[in-house]
Amino acid sequence: MQLHDLPTPALLVERSAFEHNVATMAAARPGVALRPHVKAFKSTALAAELAAAGHRGFCCATAREMVGLAEAGLGDDLLLANELVDPERLGVLAALARDDLARVTVAVDSQATIDAAAVAGIPEVLIDVNVGLPRCGCPPGDAGRLADLARRRGLAVRGVMGYEGHLVGIPERATRESLVAEAMEALVAAHAEVGGEVVSGGGTGTWDCNTWITELQAGSYVLMDTHYGRLDLPFHQGLFLWTTVLSVSDGWAVCDGGLKSLGMDHGDPTIPGADVFFCSDEHITFVPEGHRDTWPRVGDKVRVVPAHIDPTIALHEWLWVVDAEQVLERWPVDLRNW
Ligand SMILES: Cc1ncc(COP(=O)(O)O)c(C=O)c1O
């Protein structure tokens, strides 16, 4: 199939950029030094490519991601890097471990999450430590107590995790590095109280400056977005929304992507050679650079660069893998929902 035959809007994966990103990361963080975060791409087909590159442990945000990976034969070492208290879903995860479909580890940060994991029969946990992001995680000083409690409840404690999500997007490297050092000091101190072999954390923006962790939880690096594109990272943009121009007036042009096909929490997408004016449900209104005669025409195709990879991919059923004008294959986005 040729790219121009694809119905739009469609999400494209540029194969060469994807391969570059996977190889660059694998060279720096081979094997289990990287635990790719599946929430970024939500596809077992893409995860299988990462497993083939040597990364056999995965990080998940939802029970659905854990179950889908296990069913796809990618259950060597699955971490739910998120708190879960739903007894039914915890029971399903425990059954994956019991049936030898996956090694299952769940993040806990309170007595309630420890109790829920223990009651459900979850075998292993990490103590989730708050390192500054106002989200989940216990205070660093409480990690040792929670680890003791978890062990008393029969859970094996593999170590700690602490995600410095408030720092991964800081564009200035020096600031990013010094704040990550501070955040990781707290995680290392917590780890000394908790024990275990795992110190899990980090993301695409701290892929090379977080040297305190035993495994990096990055996911966005595989295909990137404009938010991370502002940083000095060696990863290439490999994700595009393929759209068709629907209307051109004297002041602007309109294509058929929009709020329903793009994650918008990091702002408008980018169109190279144009200024994006605004997005509505099924439209992007943009002003092309240059003389009006050089503007795209109705029916032309436009590549749009998403601002945030995770919520963009979660809106789509397929990732279309392309090599320039050639469509090579399609990967189902089969790990959506919860
Ligand atoms: C728990 C956790 N770890 C790691 C990441 C890093 O992902 P990214 O590659 O997008 O920086 C995230 C992203 O939000 C996360 O929630």
Side-chain angles (χ1 to χ4, degrees):
M1 195 197 233
Q2 292 296 304
L3 187 50
H4 275 75
D5 299 329
L6 256 192
T8 58
L11 212 44
L12 309 182
V13 168
E14 190 67 60
R15 178 87 213 179
S16 57
F18 171 70
E19 283 177 4
H20 164 85
N21 295 347
V22 172
T24 303
M25 182 64 93
R29 291 195 176 262
V32 294
L34 177 74
R35 185 186 283 280
H37 208 321
V38 167
K39 81 181 173 69
F41 49 84
K42 288 186 177 285
S43 163
T44 52
L46 197 160
E49 299 256 349
L50 297 176
H55 313 297
R56 302 245 8 139
F58 290 99
C59 203
C60 299
T62 65
R64 169 75 200 117
E65 291 167 2
M66 300 278 282
V67 171
L69 286 170
E71 286 173 347
L74 296 166
D76 282 16
D77 188 353
L78 303 183
L79 166 63
L80 183 67
N82 201 2
E83 279 61 22
L84 183 61
V85 288
D86 178 339
E88 201 170 313
R89 285 183 177 149
L90 281 167
V92 170
L93 299 189
L96 292 179
R98 231 180 11 255
D99 298 344
D100 266 345
L101 284 169
R103 181 174 186 182
V104 171
T105 305
V106 171
V108 291
D109 69 353
S110 63
Q111 177 163 355
T113 48
I114 288 170
D115 286 347
V119 167
I122 294 292
E124 299 181 281
V125 295
L126 286 187
I127 305 298
D128 187 2
V129 179
N130 186 303
V131 293
L133 174 69
R135 210 169 67 180
C136 299
C138 67
D142 203 27
R145 181 188 71 87
L146 289 175
D148 292 344
L149 182 63
R151 290 190 175 106
R152 281 203 302 278
R153 298 292 317 260
L155 298 163
V157 179
R158 293 181 69 188
V160 293
M161 73 160 257
Y163 173 51
E164 71 279 25
H166 55 309
L167 308 177
V168 292
I170 295 175
E172 304 78 30
R173 170 169 283 273
T175 313
R176 194 161 78 237
E177 281 177 355
S178 73
L179 292 175
V180 168
E182 236 172 76
M184 289 303 114
E185 206 176 300
L187 187 61
V188 168
H191 181 228
E193 298 300 315
V194 167
E197 75 287 2
V198 176
V199 182
S200 196
T204 296
T206 54
W207 78 293
D208 60 345
C209 66
N210 191 333
T211 52
W212 294 267
I213 47 180
T214 59
E215 55 177 48
L216 179 79
Q217 300 182 344
S220 300
Y221 82 97
V222 293
L223 294 169
M224 293 291 284
D225 53 34
T226 61
H227 192 69
Y228 267 139
R230 304 169 307 145
L231 274 61
D232 55 346
L233 305 176
F235 308 115
H236 295 171
Q237 186 60 42
L239 184 72
F240 301 92
L241 187 70
W242 184 236
T243 67
T244 305
V245 176
L246 302 178
S247 177
V248 183
S249 74
D250 280 344
W252 58 81
V254 180
C255 61
D256 64 352
L259 302 175
K260 304 247 171 102
S261 50
L262 290 159
M264 295 293 294
D265 59 312
H266 286 169
D268 284 335
T270 300
I271 299 179
D275 283 331
V276 170
F277 188 10
F278 69 99
C279 295
S280 39
D281 281 356
E282 300 290 1
H283 303 101
I284 300 171
T285 300
F286 63 102
V287 183
E289 290 165 4
H291 193 270
R292 171 79 174 74
D293 295 346
T294 66
W295 285 15
R297 290 159 198 263
V298 171
D300 283 355
K301 304 295 183 188
V302 172
R303 271 185 192 231
V304 176
V305 190
H308 194 179
I309 171 175
D310 313 52
T312 297
I313 292 183
L315 293 169
H316 292 259
E317 252 179 283
W318 300 101
L319 290 166
W320 298 87
V321 185
V322 302
D323 176 12
E325 295 304 302
Q326 191 75 32
V327 179
L328 305 174
E329 61 179 318
R330 61 179 193 174
W331 293 336
V333 186
D334 53 347
L335 300 177
R336 298 187 300 164
N337 302 318
W338 296 268

